[in-house]
Amino acid sequence: MHYGHDLRFGTFITPRNDPPQAAVRLAELSEASGYDLVTFQDHPYQPAFHDTQTLLTWVAARTERIHVAANVANVPLRPPAVLARAAASLDLLSGGRFDLALGAGGFWDPIAAMGGPHLTAGQAVDALSEAIDVIRGTWDVDERSRFVVDGTYHHVNGAKRGPAPAHNIPIWIGALKPRMLRLIGRKGDGWLPSLGYLQPGDLARGNQTIDDAAIAAGRDPCEIRRLVNINGRFSNGRGGGQFDGPAEQWVEQMLPLVLEDGIGTFILASDDPGTIVHFAEEVAPALREAVAAELASSPETAADAAWRAVLAAAGQVRSSTVRAKRRDGIDYDAVPDSLASRAIEPGDAGYSRVKSTYMRGGSPGLVLQPTTPAEVADAVAFARRHPGVPLGVRSGGHGISGRSTNDGGLVIDLSGMRDLRVLDAERRLVRVEAGARWMDVAAFLAPHGWALSSGDYGGVGVGGLATAGGIGWLVREHGLTIDHVRAVELVLADGSIVRADAAEHPDLFWAARGAGANIGIATAFEFEVDEVGEVGFAQLAFDASDTAGFLEAWGDWVVDAPRDLTSFLLMGAPRPGQPMVAQVMAVIDSADPDTILARLQPLAEVAPLVGQEVRLTTYEAVISNAADTAHAGQGEPMARSGLVGRITPEFARDAARFLESGATPFFQMRAVGGAVHDVPADATAYAHREAEFSVSAIGSPRHRTTERWNELMAPHMAGAYLSFETEVGPEHVAAAYPPATLERLRAIKRRVDPDNLFRDNANIA
């Protein structure tokens, strides 16, 4: 039986340690020759051999593409919890290139109840089964229950799970006996025997045993890859034995192993460089052609054809364990071929790294990671076929609103689209894909002496901020991020890909700058950036016991300062027995220390300084403040947002009351005046150009954040900035967009998204 798996080839190399690099060189030769996999036996008790796990790590570091595996790992000498973490670590370090092959092995420790060092065949199966449970349980970081394996041979009681590997590491089992074969059917991802130990008919009988056990366990036998170790020699004349002759004879003998016995991976056991190269050049491509020709000429049912299409797209079948975690309402089998290899499901190894955002814990049913506009269009088409399923669109996943994840829905994740390039150096025109982060953009622009004002955190993705506004460290001098957009590339709800600028699709260009999340998916932007050299960056802490007085004085200082100064303020709830502290940060676009100090001096006289740091630095250094780690938010964030003019005594008084109430541990005000005022209110969908400050607070129901905000802060607001707002509903959309702006947006929405596909982000209905 042919199980439909793509045909792969590997090598099986002796891990000898004299000379030390011999096995490594053969592994490098295997990769250069085009093999998919390189394996080594695991006999750590042999003094002439390297420790296989150490060797695999070294080989993975010395190669770029090829997968690595033991052939097979000796489980009695590799405690499964330790082996699981070693496997996951190497998989992460190698970019998803580690595969795990297990064997019952020898050298089990004496077990008093068994009376000796050797286990019976049945006991060895039980021990290996328990080891698999420990390994898979260690990798399952999304399982919240207590991790317990109460086995006879392996025990886990409350151990920490993780790390999750980079890909779904398959577990192949090297075995021959029926009990082990049935274990493969129940729990394994592959069968790995050596052909030299098999008698005629053993493969067919072994496959039947595995298939019967898989079906009895509710699995599809096609989940299980069939691998085999082979050896032989090349000669000019046709030999009488198996794999003893010219390349064409090898192909003839291997073809029925693929078509009749379902072998999907052949692993050549050889330490001879010539044999390794000859097999790769003469046998592997010829066998692939022969298999393709036979399959093309064989009669095939419609079900077989559909199954092969799924296999071809995915590269392998997802296990029943993964499929068991699928969410209702999503047609997983209909994922476009272009996205199948970058579709992450709840049961997949990489799910824990993409399910949540910076602040919100999510559990989407499927995360699609396109890398081109055409693939984004395919993702949008897939989303259109699921009109009742929530849809989130993500660039960096930092957004305080948390809308780029969901529960049980779809997420289109643009993090793989990070290209940056200069289009016109004289105009300082650059093109940036939406999945890039602002710290990446700053690093790219810095060598040119350029910068682009872009929030205050380098881990934010370009797409979300550049379609909402962009209140950054240079905003008073250079305006919002959207004020530098000269064109935006969009995928619309109908799947069409357009480039919008002032001349072409001007309505979309207008809407994308401030309300882009409702119009389509922005995949790239063209920005006209600014010349920015060294800047002053101040981090000051003040005794703000007179909270209202300090807020009013800080607001006056900002508004009255030259535009080369931009400042943000951060405060929290008072701590018992300690004065209220205000953290003030400011960027002064000047390389002159005297100018920097002159800008700061008026504020320094307002209240006692309790901490200060002022340094001459670069915009790149200021914005490179994010760790390159996966987001792991938990729960539902709560954030409120508003825009105000000058800080009045009344606003300062109520803000002080809001803070003193304990309603928020995080209260921030950002300058948003200066150059922002220079752009006409109707020039972009961000229309509240008269504001001087953006105000936001993060909290929770426990803090009564919303109630206190509505009581004390909301009456002062004249607009809102939706990127900092978690509340949803028409009233919040109306707060962000004045009536004329909102009506124009509704007209555009009716035209380009009449079915309201993009509805899960401050929806303009």
Side-chain angles (χ1 to χ4, degrees), residues 80-152:
V82 177
L83 180 60
R85 288 191 168 89
S89 295
L90 184 48
D91 197 53
L92 289 166
L93 291 167
S94 66
R97 294 191 289 122
F98 180 81
D99 300 323
L100 184 59
L102 303 178
F107 298 92
W108 289 91
D109 290 334
I111 300 173
M114 303 302 163
H118 298 291
L119 302 185
T120 66
Q123 292 165 348
V125 171
D126 292 341
L128 189 57
S129 177
E130 292 173 10
I132 292 172
D133 292 341
V134 172
I135 291 168
R136 288 228 169 92
T138 301
W139 292 340
D140 191 3
V141 298
D142 292 311
E143 176 57 55
R144 310 312 299 177
S145 64
R146 184 177 177 83
F147 184 17
V148 176
V149 176
D150 187 17
T152 302

Side-chain angles (χ1 to χ4, degrees), residues 63 146 223 365 380 402 480 552 611 700-701 714 759:
T63 55
R146 184 177 177 83
E223 294 179 25
V380 168
L480 300 168
E552 190 175 355
S700 67
R759 62 191 178 279

Side-chain angles (χ1 to χ4, degrees), residues 466-697:
T467 53
I471 304 171
W473 288 120
L474 303 173
V475 66
R476 293 186 70 248
E477 183 176 29
H478 296 296
L480 300 168
T481 304
I482 61 171
D483 298 338
H484 295 264
V485 176
R486 298 297 174 260
V488 57
E489 298 168 21
L490 294 162
V491 176
L492 303 181
D494 64 359
S496 58
I497 301 171
V498 301
R499 179 184 182 277
D501 59 22
E504 187 177 8
H505 304 292
D507 272 5
L508 295 181
F509 182 55
W510 174 85
R513 293 173 294 161
N518 268 274
I519 303 306
I521 298 179
T523 58
F525 302 84
E526 294 176 16
F527 294 107
E528 185 177 325
V529 300
D530 299 298
E531 290 184 344
V532 178
E534 288 186 306
V535 298
F537 183 50
Q539 295 174 285
L540 311 174
F542 290 90
D543 180 337
S545 298
D546 178 9
T547 303
F550 184 82
L551 289 174
E552 190 175 355
W554 173 80
D556 288 341
W557 169 69
V558 172
V559 174
D560 295 336
R563 288 186 174 190
D564 59 11
L565 178 142
T566 295
S567 180
F568 296 172
L569 175 145
L570 177 64
M571 299 182 73
R575 292 175 290 179
Q578 298 186 36
M580 183 74 81
V581 174
Q583 304 283 345
V584 173
M585 294 152 285
V587 168
I588 300 95
D589 186 10
S590 173
D592 176 31
D594 291 336
T595 300
I596 295 168
L597 294 176
R599 298 286 188 267
L600 298 172
Q601 188 59 40
L603 185 66
E605 298 171 356
V606 167
L609 272 167
V610 296
Q612 60 178 309
E613 179 185 351
V614 182
R615 66 182 187 270
L616 193 61
T617 185
T618 63
Y619 181 80
E620 177 190 5
V622 172
I623 206 69
S624 296
N625 54 0
D628 194 15
T629 56
H631 293 316
Q634 297 182 16
E636 287 280 347
M638 176 177 285
R640 302 307 312 272
S641 163
L643 297 171
V644 298
R646 291 193 76 119
I647 306 302
T648 64
E650 293 76 19
F651 172 89
R653 177 201 64 213
D654 287 346
R657 292 173 58 198
F658 180 70
L659 287 162
E660 289 162 4
S661 73
T664 176
F666 183 98
F667 177 83
Q668 187 185 56
M669 297 183 65
R670 299 185 178 202
V672 67
V676 180
H677 299 329
D678 297 342
V679 178
D682 61 355
T684 66
Y686 181 101
H688 290 292
R689 297 282 176 169
E690 73 288 350
E692 293 288 356
F693 297 99
S694 168
V695 185
S696 60

